[in-house]
Amino acid sequence: QVQLQQSGAELAKPGSSVKISCKASGYTFTSYYISWIKQTTGQGLEYIGYINTGSGGTNYNEKFKGKATLTVDKSSSTAFMQLSSLTPDDSAVYYCAKAGFAYWGQGTLVTVSS
Amino acid sequence: DIQMTQSPSSLPASLGDRVTITCRASQDIGNYLRWFQQKPGKSPRLMIYGATNLAAGVPSRFSGSRSGSDYSLTISSLESEDMADYYCLQSKESPFTFGAGTKLELK
């Protein structure tokens, strides 16, 4: 069955970076885009962007350009999102989702605090 | 960006009630509209896609409809397991955008 397994919670300091992973199984990884979504209590759900897992091409929400970098490792069927120059506003749960949004990872909590 | 205005933000209801949640799109999105259910501590669950199509495994008491730029999610007879947050998502144009959410709770 289709599964998206995300990496564990991160505690990071302001100004640092984190890299979250999303390992896919149960389907042909390179045939479907992976999207990334941010969820905070105050801002609800925000769409960060998506990556074409076959070509590596990306499409970002303008708001997250320079903040998020999406990559893939086809050999391990894993998508990654790096968040850079972290501030407390980046504290959130981050989800990956398979194209069509029928399958989501379990979410990764990122907490930015000194 | 396309704005999705979701209402109400909170919806107190009783078991057995018929409830409706609405999203209004700021510009044409055709039928590129999905509805999600989210329970505390869980990932969103796809309920409706293509504005009116029931996702796999979703009970038939859920339905989606469209009237112009207004999209609705209706639960015909509320059950306790339906208490959750609900979100709409437009995927017509990048960046995809979500509604602000509706908290469905017991009256």
PDB file of all heavy atoms in Angstrom, chain A residues 35 37 39 44-47 50 59-62 95 100-102 104-107, chain B residues 1 34 36 38 41-46 87 89 91 94-100:
ATOM      1  N   SER A  35       4.111  17.026  -3.080  1.00  0.00           N
ATOM      2  CA  SER A  35       3.864  18.379  -2.589  1.00  0.00           C
ATOM      3  C   SER A  35       4.269  18.484  -1.128  1.00  0.00           C
ATOM      4  O   SER A  35       4.304  17.471  -0.405  1.00  0.00           O
ATOM      5  CB  SER A  35       2.370  18.729  -2.699  1.00  0.00           C
ATOM      6  OG  SER A  35       1.976  18.867  -4.034  1.00  0.00           O
ATOM      7  N   ILE A  37       3.455  20.886   2.435  1.00  0.00           N
ATOM      8  CA  ILE A  37       2.450  21.759   3.028  1.00  0.00           C
ATOM      9  C   ILE A  37       2.871  22.087   4.452  1.00  0.00           C
ATOM     10  O   ILE A  37       3.381  21.231   5.176  1.00  0.00           O
ATOM     11  CB  ILE A  37       1.077  21.058   3.055  1.00  0.00           C
ATOM     12  CG1 ILE A  37       0.596  20.759   1.631  1.00  0.00           C
ATOM     13  CG2 ILE A  37       0.050  21.894   3.782  1.00  0.00           C
ATOM     14  CD1 ILE A  37       0.859  19.341   1.166  1.00  0.00           C
ATOM     15  N   GLN A  39       1.663  23.600   8.196  1.00  0.00           N
ATOM     16  CA  GLN A  39       0.489  23.838   9.034  1.00  0.00           C
ATOM     17  C   GLN A  39       0.889  24.443  10.358  1.00  0.00           C
ATOM     18  O   GLN A  39       1.669  23.895  11.108  1.00  0.00           O
ATOM     19  CB  GLN A  39      -0.298  22.554   9.286  1.00  0.00           C
ATOM     20  CG  GLN A  39      -1.594  22.801  10.066  1.00  0.00           C
ATOM     21  CD  GLN A  39      -2.518  21.621  10.078  1.00  0.00           C
ATOM     22  OE1 GLN A  39      -2.106  20.465  10.122  1.00  0.00           O
ATOM     23  NE2 GLN A  39      -3.824  21.886  10.031  1.00  0.00           N
ATOM     24  N   GLY A  44      -3.140  28.147   9.580  1.00  0.00           N
ATOM     25  CA  GLY A  44      -3.797  27.029   8.926  1.00  0.00           C
ATOM     26  C   GLY A  44      -2.834  26.284   8.018  1.00  0.00           C
ATOM     27  O   GLY A  44      -1.669  26.100   8.340  1.00  0.00           O
ATOM     28  N   LEU A  45      -3.343  25.883   6.841  1.00  0.00           N
ATOM     29  CA  LEU A  45      -2.551  25.107   5.886  1.00  0.00           C
ATOM     30  C   LEU A  45      -2.040  26.019   4.787  1.00  0.00           C
ATOM     31  O   LEU A  45      -2.802  26.803   4.209  1.00  0.00           O
ATOM     32  CB  LEU A  45      -3.407  23.991   5.280  1.00  0.00           C
ATOM     33  CG  LEU A  45      -3.830  22.877   6.241  1.00  0.00           C
ATOM     34  CD1 LEU A  45      -5.002  22.096   5.676  1.00  0.00           C
ATOM     35  CD2 LEU A  45      -2.653  21.953   6.504  1.00  0.00           C
ATOM     36  N   GLU A  46      -0.751  25.921   4.493  1.00  0.00           N
ATOM     37  CA  GLU A  46      -0.142  26.712   3.418  1.00  0.00           C
ATOM     38  C   GLU A  46       0.605  25.773   2.474  1.00  0.00           C
ATOM     39  O   GLU A  46       1.344  24.903   2.929  1.00  0.00           O
ATOM     40  CB  GLU A  46       0.840  27.740   3.976  1.00  0.00           C
ATOM     41  CG  GLU A  46       0.214  28.838   4.781  1.00  0.00           C
ATOM     42  CD  GLU A  46       1.273  29.828   5.241  1.00  0.00           C
ATOM     43  OE1 GLU A  46       1.926  29.551   6.263  1.00  0.00           O
ATOM     44  OE2 GLU A  46       1.454  30.872   4.583  1.00  0.00           O
ATOM     45  N   TYR A  47       0.415  26.040   1.194  1.00  0.00           N
ATOM     46  CA  TYR A  47       1.064  25.210   0.183  1.00  0.00           C
ATOM     47  C   TYR A  47       2.449  25.757  -0.083  1.00  0.00           C
ATOM     48  O   TYR A  47       2.610  26.924  -0.445  1.00  0.00           O
ATOM     49  CB  TYR A  47       0.231  25.221  -1.089  1.00  0.00           C
ATOM     50  CG  TYR A  47       0.665  24.206  -2.090  1.00  0.00           C
ATOM     51  CD1 TYR A  47       0.326  22.867  -1.915  1.00  0.00           C
ATOM     52  CD2 TYR A  47       1.403  24.560  -3.204  1.00  0.00           C
ATOM     53  CE1 TYR A  47       0.723  21.913  -2.830  1.00  0.00           C
ATOM     54  CE2 TYR A  47       1.803  23.617  -4.120  1.00  0.00           C
ATOM     55  CZ  TYR A  47       1.467  22.296  -3.935  1.00  0.00           C
ATOM     56  OH  TYR A  47       1.866  21.346  -4.841  1.00  0.00           O
ATOM     57  N   TYR A  50       5.811  22.016  -5.004  1.00  0.00           N
ATOM     58  CA  TYR A  50       5.899  20.606  -5.365  1.00  0.00           C
ATOM     59  C   TYR A  50       7.158  20.336  -6.177  1.00  0.00           C
ATOM     60  O   TYR A  50       7.778  21.248  -6.735  1.00  0.00           O
ATOM     61  CB  TYR A  50       4.657  20.128  -6.118  1.00  0.00           C
ATOM     62  CG  TYR A  50       4.444  20.735  -7.488  1.00  0.00           C
ATOM     63  CD1 TYR A  50       5.132  20.271  -8.604  1.00  0.00           C
ATOM     64  CD2 TYR A  50       3.516  21.759  -7.671  1.00  0.00           C
ATOM     65  CE1 TYR A  50       4.924  20.818  -9.853  1.00  0.00           C
ATOM     66  CE2 TYR A  50       3.299  22.304  -8.917  1.00  0.00           C
ATOM     67  CZ  TYR A  50       4.002  21.836 -10.005  1.00  0.00           C
ATOM     68  OH  TYR A  50       3.788  22.381 -11.248  1.00  0.00           O
ATOM     69  N   ASN A  59       8.300  23.682  -8.323  1.00  0.00           N
ATOM     70  CA  ASN A  59       7.410  24.827  -8.398  1.00  0.00           C
ATOM     71  C   ASN A  59       7.151  25.270  -6.976  1.00  0.00           C
ATOM     72  O   ASN A  59       6.656  24.493  -6.160  1.00  0.00           O
ATOM     73  CB  ASN A  59       6.101  24.437  -9.101  1.00  0.00           C
ATOM     74  CG  ASN A  59       5.160  25.614  -9.244  1.00  0.00           C
ATOM     75  OD1 ASN A  59       4.590  26.101  -8.264  1.00  0.00           O
ATOM     76  ND2 ASN A  59       4.987  26.108 -10.449  1.00  0.00           N
ATOM     77  N   TYR A  60       7.505  26.528  -6.681  1.00  0.00           N
ATOM     78  CA  TYR A  60       7.385  27.029  -5.319  1.00  0.00           C
ATOM     79  C   TYR A  60       6.307  28.114  -5.223  1.00  0.00           C
ATOM     80  O   TYR A  60       6.186  28.965  -6.110  1.00  0.00           O
ATOM     81  CB  TYR A  60       8.699  27.655  -4.862  1.00  0.00           C
ATOM     82  CG  TYR A  60       9.845  26.686  -4.699  1.00  0.00           C
ATOM     83  CD1 TYR A  60      10.772  26.500  -5.724  1.00  0.00           C
ATOM     84  CD2 TYR A  60      10.023  25.979  -3.510  1.00  0.00           C
ATOM     85  CE1 TYR A  60      11.835  25.613  -5.578  1.00  0.00           C
ATOM     86  CE2 TYR A  60      11.085  25.101  -3.352  1.00  0.00           C
ATOM     87  CZ  TYR A  60      11.981  24.926  -4.400  1.00  0.00           C
ATOM     88  OH  TYR A  60      13.031  24.043  -4.243  1.00  0.00           O
ATOM     89  N   ASN A  61       5.610  28.109  -4.116  1.00  0.00           N
ATOM     90  CA  ASN A  61       4.826  29.256  -3.719  1.00  0.00           C
ATOM     91  C   ASN A  61       5.821  30.400  -3.518  1.00  0.00           C
ATOM     92  O   ASN A  61       6.835  30.237  -2.834  1.00  0.00           O
ATOM     93  CB  ASN A  61       4.071  28.920  -2.427  1.00  0.00           C
ATOM     94  CG  ASN A  61       3.165  30.042  -1.953  1.00  0.00           C
ATOM     95  OD1 ASN A  61       3.318  31.198  -2.319  1.00  0.00           O
ATOM     96  ND2 ASN A  61       2.212  29.688  -1.111  1.00  0.00           N
ATOM     97  N   GLU A  62       5.526  31.538  -4.108  1.00  0.00           N
ATOM     98  CA  GLU A  62       6.426  32.699  -4.017  1.00  0.00           C
ATOM     99  C   GLU A  62       6.822  32.989  -2.572  1.00  0.00           C
ATOM    100  O   GLU A  62       7.951  33.388  -2.292  1.00  0.00           O
ATOM    101  CB  GLU A  62       5.735  33.906  -4.633  1.00  0.00           C
ATOM    102  CG  GLU A  62       6.652  35.015  -5.038  1.00  0.00           C
ATOM    103  CD  GLU A  62       7.519  34.661  -6.235  1.00  0.00           C
ATOM    104  OE1 GLU A  62       7.088  33.873  -7.094  1.00  0.00           O
ATOM    105  OE2 GLU A  62       8.653  35.186  -6.292  1.00  0.00           O
ATOM    106  N   TYR A  95       4.054  18.711   6.134  1.00  0.00           N
ATOM    107  CA  TYR A  95       3.587  17.465   5.531  1.00  0.00           C
ATOM    108  C   TYR A  95       4.083  17.341   4.103  1.00  0.00           C
ATOM    109  O   TYR A  95       4.182  18.343   3.386  1.00  0.00           O
ATOM    110  CB  TYR A  95       2.054  17.436   5.461  1.00  0.00           C
ATOM    111  CG  TYR A  95       1.340  17.379   6.779  1.00  0.00           C
ATOM    112  CD1 TYR A  95       0.792  18.528   7.346  1.00  0.00           C
ATOM    113  CD2 TYR A  95       1.159  16.171   7.448  1.00  0.00           C
ATOM    114  CE1 TYR A  95       0.097  18.476   8.544  1.00  0.00           C
ATOM    115  CE2 TYR A  95       0.470  16.109   8.647  1.00  0.00           C
ATOM    116  CZ  TYR A  95      -0.060  17.267   9.194  1.00  0.00           C
ATOM    117  OH  TYR A  95      -0.755  17.204  10.371  1.00  0.00           O
ATOM    118  N   GLY A 100      -2.354  14.414  -6.069  1.00  0.00           N
ATOM    119  CA  GLY A 100      -3.743  14.017  -5.891  1.00  0.00           C
ATOM    120  C   GLY A 100      -4.196  14.166  -4.452  1.00  0.00           C
ATOM    121  O   GLY A 100      -5.390  14.209  -4.163  1.00  0.00           O
ATOM    122  N   PHE A 101      -3.235  14.224  -3.529  1.00  0.00           N
ATOM    123  CA  PHE A 101      -3.499  14.491  -2.113  1.00  0.00           C
ATOM    124  C   PHE A 101      -4.301  13.395  -1.419  1.00  0.00           C
ATOM    125  O   PHE A 101      -4.880  13.643  -0.361  1.00  0.00           O
ATOM    126  CB  PHE A 101      -4.210  15.849  -1.936  1.00  0.00           C
ATOM    127  CG  PHE A 101      -3.398  17.007  -2.408  1.00  0.00           C
ATOM    128  CD1 PHE A 101      -3.591  17.523  -3.680  1.00  0.00           C
ATOM    129  CD2 PHE A 101      -2.418  17.562  -1.609  1.00  0.00           C
ATOM    130  CE1 PHE A 101      -2.811  18.581  -4.140  1.00  0.00           C
ATOM    131  CE2 PHE A 101      -1.650  18.623  -2.044  1.00  0.00           C
ATOM    132  CZ  PHE A 101      -1.847  19.128  -3.317  1.00  0.00           C
ATOM    133  N   ALA A 102      -4.311  12.207  -1.975  1.00  0.00           N
ATOM    134  CA  ALA A 102      -4.984  11.101  -1.293  1.00  0.00           C
ATOM    135  C   ALA A 102      -4.084  10.468  -0.240  1.00  0.00           C
ATOM    136  O   ALA A 102      -4.571   9.751   0.648  1.00  0.00           O
ATOM    137  CB  ALA A 102      -5.431  10.052  -2.303  1.00  0.00           C
ATOM    138  N   TRP A 104      -0.795  11.228   2.440  1.00  0.00           N
ATOM    139  CA  TRP A 104       0.015  12.217   3.145  1.00  0.00           C
ATOM    140  C   TRP A 104       0.989  11.507   4.077  1.00  0.00           C
ATOM    141  O   TRP A 104       0.690  10.413   4.590  1.00  0.00           O
ATOM    142  CB  TRP A 104      -0.877  13.120   4.002  1.00  0.00           C
ATOM    143  CG  TRP A 104      -1.801  14.019   3.236  1.00  0.00           C
ATOM    144  CD1 TRP A 104      -2.783  13.638   2.359  1.00  0.00           C
ATOM    145  CD2 TRP A 104      -1.842  15.442   3.285  1.00  0.00           C
ATOM    146  NE1 TRP A 104      -3.428  14.745   1.863  1.00  0.00           N
ATOM    147  CE2 TRP A 104      -2.880  15.866   2.417  1.00  0.00           C
ATOM    148  CE3 TRP A 104      -1.111  16.409   3.982  1.00  0.00           C
ATOM    149  CZ2 TRP A 104      -3.197  17.219   2.222  1.00  0.00           C
ATOM    150  CZ3 TRP A 104      -1.435  17.741   3.796  1.00  0.00           C
ATOM    151  CH2 TRP A 104      -2.461  18.135   2.925  1.00  0.00           C
ATOM    152  N   GLY A 105       2.118  12.161   4.315  1.00  0.00           N
ATOM    153  CA  GLY A 105       2.979  11.717   5.384  1.00  0.00           C
ATOM    154  C   GLY A 105       2.342  12.031   6.722  1.00  0.00           C
ATOM    155  O   GLY A 105       1.299  12.716   6.791  1.00  0.00           O
ATOM    156  N   GLN A 106       2.984  11.570   7.782  1.00  0.00           N
ATOM    157  CA  GLN A 106       2.413  11.752   9.118  1.00  0.00           C
ATOM    158  C   GLN A 106       2.723  13.125   9.699  1.00  0.00           C
ATOM    159  O   GLN A 106       2.218  13.473  10.764  1.00  0.00           O
ATOM    160  CB  GLN A 106       2.913  10.646  10.071  1.00  0.00           C
ATOM    161  CG  GLN A 106       4.307  10.865  10.645  1.00  0.00           C
ATOM    162  CD  GLN A 106       5.419  10.394   9.750  1.00  0.00           C
ATOM    163  OE1 GLN A 106       5.263  10.281   8.530  1.00  0.00           O
ATOM    164  NE2 GLN A 106       6.575  10.107  10.356  1.00  0.00           N
ATOM    165  N   GLY A 107       3.546  13.884   8.989  1.00  0.00           N
ATOM    166  CA  GLY A 107       3.894  15.220   9.460  1.00  0.00           C
ATOM    167  C   GLY A 107       5.186  15.221  10.249  1.00  0.00           C
ATOM    168  O   GLY A 107       5.513  14.260  10.946  1.00  0.00           O
TER     169      GLY A 107
ATOM    170  N   ASP B   1      -2.635  35.415  -6.147  1.00  0.00           N
ATOM    171  CA  ASP B   1      -3.027  34.091  -5.718  1.00  0.00           C
ATOM    172  C   ASP B   1      -4.549  33.999  -5.608  1.00  0.00           C
ATOM    173  O   ASP B   1      -5.216  34.982  -5.299  1.00  0.00           O
ATOM    174  CB  ASP B   1      -2.426  33.762  -4.343  1.00  0.00           C
ATOM    175  CG  ASP B   1      -0.912  33.730  -4.343  1.00  0.00           C
ATOM    176  OD1 ASP B   1      -0.314  33.954  -5.427  1.00  0.00           O
ATOM    177  OD2 ASP B   1      -0.323  33.505  -3.267  1.00  0.00           O
ATOM    178  N   ARG B  34     -10.822  20.359  -3.785  1.00  0.00           N
ATOM    179  CA  ARG B  34     -10.809  19.185  -2.915  1.00  0.00           C
ATOM    180  C   ARG B  34     -11.238  19.583  -1.508  1.00  0.00           C
ATOM    181  O   ARG B  34     -11.036  20.731  -1.089  1.00  0.00           O
ATOM    182  CB  ARG B  34      -9.406  18.567  -2.846  1.00  0.00           C
ATOM    183  CG  ARG B  34      -8.939  17.910  -4.131  1.00  0.00           C
ATOM    184  CD  ARG B  34      -7.496  17.426  -3.984  1.00  0.00           C
ATOM    185  NE  ARG B  34      -7.081  16.574  -5.100  1.00  0.00           N
ATOM    186  CZ  ARG B  34      -6.575  17.034  -6.238  1.00  0.00           C
ATOM    187  NH1 ARG B  34      -6.441  18.334  -6.424  1.00  0.00           N
ATOM    188  NH2 ARG B  34      -6.216  16.193  -7.188  1.00  0.00           N
ATOM    189  N   PHE B  36     -10.882  18.252   2.590  1.00  0.00           N
ATOM    190  CA  PHE B  36     -10.141  17.401   3.509  1.00  0.00           C
ATOM    191  C   PHE B  36     -10.783  17.449   4.885  1.00  0.00           C
ATOM    192  O   PHE B  36     -11.318  18.481   5.297  1.00  0.00           O
ATOM    193  CB  PHE B  36      -8.684  17.864   3.631  1.00  0.00           C
ATOM    194  CG  PHE B  36      -7.917  17.785   2.352  1.00  0.00           C
ATOM    195  CD1 PHE B  36      -7.866  18.867   1.493  1.00  0.00           C
ATOM    196  CD2 PHE B  36      -7.245  16.627   2.002  1.00  0.00           C
ATOM    197  CE1 PHE B  36      -7.166  18.802   0.302  1.00  0.00           C
ATOM    198  CE2 PHE B  36      -6.534  16.549   0.811  1.00  0.00           C
ATOM    199  CZ  PHE B  36      -6.501  17.643  -0.034  1.00  0.00           C
ATOM    200  N   GLN B  38      -9.622  16.751   8.898  1.00  0.00           N
ATOM    201  CA  GLN B  38      -8.456  16.569   9.737  1.00  0.00           C
ATOM    202  C   GLN B  38      -8.865  16.450  11.198  1.00  0.00           C
ATOM    203  O   GLN B  38      -9.556  17.338  11.712  1.00  0.00           O
ATOM    204  CB  GLN B  38      -7.447  17.705   9.563  1.00  0.00           C
ATOM    205  CG  GLN B  38      -6.138  17.454  10.296  1.00  0.00           C
ATOM    206  CD  GLN B  38      -5.122  18.552  10.094  1.00  0.00           C
ATOM    207  OE1 GLN B  38      -5.477  19.722   9.941  1.00  0.00           O
ATOM    208  NE2 GLN B  38      -3.852  18.196  10.093  1.00  0.00           N
ATOM    209  N   GLY B  41      -3.988  15.890  15.695  1.00  0.00           N
ATOM    210  CA  GLY B  41      -2.784  15.066  15.663  1.00  0.00           C
ATOM    211  C   GLY B  41      -2.651  14.168  14.452  1.00  0.00           C
ATOM    212  O   GLY B  41      -1.714  13.371  14.389  1.00  0.00           O
ATOM    213  N   LYS B  42      -3.585  14.311  13.503  1.00  0.00           N
ATOM    214  CA  LYS B  42      -3.556  13.451  12.305  1.00  0.00           C
ATOM    215  C   LYS B  42      -3.324  14.275  11.048  1.00  0.00           C
ATOM    216  O   LYS B  42      -3.529  15.490  11.020  1.00  0.00           O
ATOM    217  CB  LYS B  42      -4.895  12.702  12.177  1.00  0.00           C
ATOM    218  CG  LYS B  42      -5.209  11.790  13.341  1.00  0.00           C
ATOM    219  CD  LYS B  42      -4.231  10.662  13.447  1.00  0.00           C
ATOM    220  CE  LYS B  42      -4.652   9.651  14.505  1.00  0.00           C
ATOM    221  NZ  LYS B  42      -3.671   8.544  14.647  1.00  0.00           N
ATOM    222  N   SER B  43      -2.927  13.593   9.997  1.00  0.00           N
ATOM    223  CA  SER B  43      -2.773  14.236   8.699  1.00  0.00           C
ATOM    224  C   SER B  43      -4.145  14.463   8.076  1.00  0.00           C
ATOM    225  O   SER B  43      -5.107  13.732   8.391  1.00  0.00           O
ATOM    226  CB  SER B  43      -1.930  13.357   7.767  1.00  0.00           C
ATOM    227  OG  SER B  43      -0.694  13.038   8.366  1.00  0.00           O
ATOM    228  N   PRO B  44      -4.248  15.458   7.202  1.00  0.00           N
ATOM    229  CA  PRO B  44      -5.517  15.643   6.482  1.00  0.00           C
ATOM    230  C   PRO B  44      -5.875  14.385   5.690  1.00  0.00           C
ATOM    231  O   PRO B  44      -5.004  13.686   5.183  1.00  0.00           O
ATOM    232  CB  PRO B  44      -5.220  16.823   5.557  1.00  0.00           C
ATOM    233  CG  PRO B  44      -4.149  17.591   6.268  1.00  0.00           C
ATOM    234  CD  PRO B  44      -3.284  16.522   6.894  1.00  0.00           C
ATOM    235  N   ARG B  45      -7.182  14.136   5.580  1.00  0.00           N
ATOM    236  CA  ARG B  45      -7.708  13.004   4.821  1.00  0.00           C
ATOM    237  C   ARG B  45      -8.542  13.539   3.669  1.00  0.00           C
ATOM    238  O   ARG B  45      -9.437  14.360   3.877  1.00  0.00           O
ATOM    239  CB  ARG B  45      -8.586  12.133   5.719  1.00  0.00           C
ATOM    240  CG  ARG B  45      -9.304  10.988   4.990  1.00  0.00           C
ATOM    241  CD  ARG B  45     -10.377  10.368   5.869  1.00  0.00           C
ATOM    242  NE  ARG B  45     -11.100   9.293   5.185  1.00  0.00           N
ATOM    243  CZ  ARG B  45     -12.195   8.707   5.658  1.00  0.00           C
ATOM    244  NH1 ARG B  45     -12.694   9.077   6.842  1.00  0.00           N
ATOM    245  NH2 ARG B  45     -12.786   7.742   4.982  1.00  0.00           N
ATOM    246  N   LEU B  46      -8.245  13.100   2.469  1.00  0.00           N
ATOM    247  CA  LEU B  46      -9.016  13.529   1.300  1.00  0.00           C
ATOM    248  C   LEU B  46     -10.429  12.963   1.370  1.00  0.00           C
ATOM    249  O   LEU B  46     -10.612  11.749   1.504  1.00  0.00           O
ATOM    250  CB  LEU B  46      -8.326  13.063   0.014  1.00  0.00           C
ATOM    251  CG  LEU B  46      -9.029  13.425  -1.292  1.00  0.00           C
ATOM    252  CD1 LEU B  46      -9.031  14.938  -1.504  1.00  0.00           C
ATOM    253  CD2 LEU B  46      -8.356  12.711  -2.467  1.00  0.00           C
ATOM    254  N   TYR B  87     -11.153  21.412   5.520  1.00  0.00           N
ATOM    255  CA  TYR B  87     -10.476  22.415   4.688  1.00  0.00           C
ATOM    256  C   TYR B  87     -10.780  22.155   3.216  1.00  0.00           C
ATOM    257  O   TYR B  87     -10.855  21.002   2.782  1.00  0.00           O
ATOM    258  CB  TYR B  87      -8.954  22.334   4.863  1.00  0.00           C
ATOM    259  CG  TYR B  87      -8.456  22.625   6.252  1.00  0.00           C
ATOM    260  CD1 TYR B  87      -8.287  21.598   7.170  1.00  0.00           C
ATOM    261  CD2 TYR B  87      -8.117  23.921   6.636  1.00  0.00           C
ATOM    262  CE1 TYR B  87      -7.815  21.857   8.442  1.00  0.00           C
ATOM    263  CE2 TYR B  87      -7.645  24.185   7.904  1.00  0.00           C
ATOM    264  CZ  TYR B  87      -7.495  23.150   8.809  1.00  0.00           C
ATOM    265  OH  TYR B  87      -7.024  23.405  10.066  1.00  0.00           O
ATOM    266  N   LEU B  89      -9.328  23.019  -0.760  1.00  0.00           N
ATOM    267  CA  LEU B  89      -8.072  23.305  -1.462  1.00  0.00           C
ATOM    268  C   LEU B  89      -8.365  23.477  -2.937  1.00  0.00           C
ATOM    269  O   LEU B  89      -9.030  22.622  -3.546  1.00  0.00           O
ATOM    270  CB  LEU B  89      -7.082  22.148  -1.285  1.00  0.00           C
ATOM    271  CG  LEU B  89      -5.837  22.172  -2.196  1.00  0.00           C
ATOM    272  CD1 LEU B  89      -4.905  23.302  -1.793  1.00  0.00           C
ATOM    273  CD2 LEU B  89      -5.109  20.836  -2.167  1.00  0.00           C
ATOM    274  N   SER B  91      -6.710  23.582  -6.649  1.00  0.00           N
ATOM    275  CA  SER B  91      -5.500  23.147  -7.344  1.00  0.00           C
ATOM    276  C   SER B  91      -5.568  23.515  -8.824  1.00  0.00           C
ATOM    277  O   SER B  91      -4.964  22.851  -9.667  1.00  0.00           O
ATOM    278  CB  SER B  91      -5.283  21.638  -7.165  1.00  0.00           C
ATOM    279  OG  SER B  91      -6.420  20.915  -7.610  1.00  0.00           O
ATOM    280  N   SER B  94      -1.255  27.514  -9.528  1.00  0.00           N
ATOM    281  CA  SER B  94      -0.201  27.610  -8.532  1.00  0.00           C
ATOM    282  C   SER B  94      -0.036  29.066  -8.093  1.00  0.00           C
ATOM    283  O   SER B  94      -0.089  29.975  -8.942  1.00  0.00           O
ATOM    284  CB  SER B  94       1.104  27.094  -9.139  1.00  0.00           C
ATOM    285  OG  SER B  94       2.156  27.125  -8.198  1.00  0.00           O
ATOM    286  N   PRO B  95       0.152  29.344  -6.794  1.00  0.00           N
ATOM    287  CA  PRO B  95       0.215  28.356  -5.727  1.00  0.00           C
ATOM    288  C   PRO B  95      -1.167  27.844  -5.321  1.00  0.00           C
ATOM    289  O   PRO B  95      -2.121  28.621  -5.245  1.00  0.00           O
ATOM    290  CB  PRO B  95       0.850  29.138  -4.579  1.00  0.00           C
ATOM    291  CG  PRO B  95       0.363  30.533  -4.788  1.00  0.00           C
ATOM    292  CD  PRO B  95       0.318  30.713  -6.274  1.00  0.00           C
ATOM    293  N   PHE B  96      -1.260  26.537  -5.109  1.00  0.00           N
ATOM    294  CA  PHE B  96      -2.508  26.002  -4.596  1.00  0.00           C
ATOM    295  C   PHE B  96      -2.808  26.699  -3.274  1.00  0.00           C
ATOM    296  O   PHE B  96      -1.885  27.064  -2.521  1.00  0.00           O
ATOM    297  CB  PHE B  96      -2.379  24.493  -4.362  1.00  0.00           C
ATOM    298  CG  PHE B  96      -2.065  23.703  -5.605  1.00  0.00           C
ATOM    299  CD1 PHE B  96      -1.679  22.384  -5.496  1.00  0.00           C
ATOM    300  CD2 PHE B  96      -2.153  24.257  -6.874  1.00  0.00           C
ATOM    301  CE1 PHE B  96      -1.387  21.624  -6.621  1.00  0.00           C
ATOM    302  CE2 PHE B  96      -1.865  23.518  -8.012  1.00  0.00           C
ATOM    303  CZ  PHE B  96      -1.480  22.195  -7.877  1.00  0.00           C
ATOM    304  N   THR B  97      -4.070  26.879  -2.975  1.00  0.00           N
ATOM    305  CA  THR B  97      -4.436  27.589  -1.760  1.00  0.00           C
ATOM    306  C   THR B  97      -5.563  26.876  -1.030  1.00  0.00           C
ATOM    307  O   THR B  97      -6.497  26.345  -1.658  1.00  0.00           O
ATOM    308  CB  THR B  97      -4.846  29.045  -2.054  1.00  0.00           C
ATOM    309  OG1 THR B  97      -5.710  29.074  -3.206  1.00  0.00           O
ATOM    310  CG2 THR B  97      -3.634  29.910  -2.317  1.00  0.00           C
ATOM    311  N   PHE B  98      -5.459  26.905   0.297  1.00  0.00           N
ATOM    312  CA  PHE B  98      -6.439  26.278   1.174  1.00  0.00           C
ATOM    313  C   PHE B  98      -7.405  27.321   1.728  1.00  0.00           C
ATOM    314  O   PHE B  98      -7.040  28.501   1.884  1.00  0.00           O
ATOM    315  CB  PHE B  98      -5.734  25.623   2.365  1.00  0.00           C
ATOM    316  CG  PHE B  98      -4.920  24.408   2.040  1.00  0.00           C
ATOM    317  CD1 PHE B  98      -3.583  24.521   1.670  1.00  0.00           C
ATOM    318  CD2 PHE B  98      -5.473  23.134   2.123  1.00  0.00           C
ATOM    319  CE1 PHE B  98      -2.816  23.393   1.385  1.00  0.00           C
ATOM    320  CE2 PHE B  98      -4.726  22.007   1.850  1.00  0.00           C
ATOM    321  CZ  PHE B  98      -3.392  22.145   1.475  1.00  0.00           C
ATOM    322  N   GLY B  99      -8.595  26.860   2.060  1.00  0.00           N
ATOM    323  CA  GLY B  99      -9.470  27.671   2.883  1.00  0.00           C
ATOM    324  C   GLY B  99      -8.936  27.691   4.311  1.00  0.00           C
ATOM    325  O   GLY B  99      -8.067  26.890   4.672  1.00  0.00           O
ATOM    326  N   ALA B 100      -9.473  28.593   5.121  1.00  0.00           N
ATOM    327  CA  ALA B 100      -8.969  28.780   6.488  1.00  0.00           C
ATOM    328  C   ALA B 100      -9.433  27.694   7.448  1.00  0.00           C
ATOM    329  O   ALA B 100      -8.921  27.607   8.567  1.00  0.00           O
ATOM    330  CB  ALA B 100      -9.383  30.148   7.007  1.00  0.00           C
TER     331      ALA B 100
END
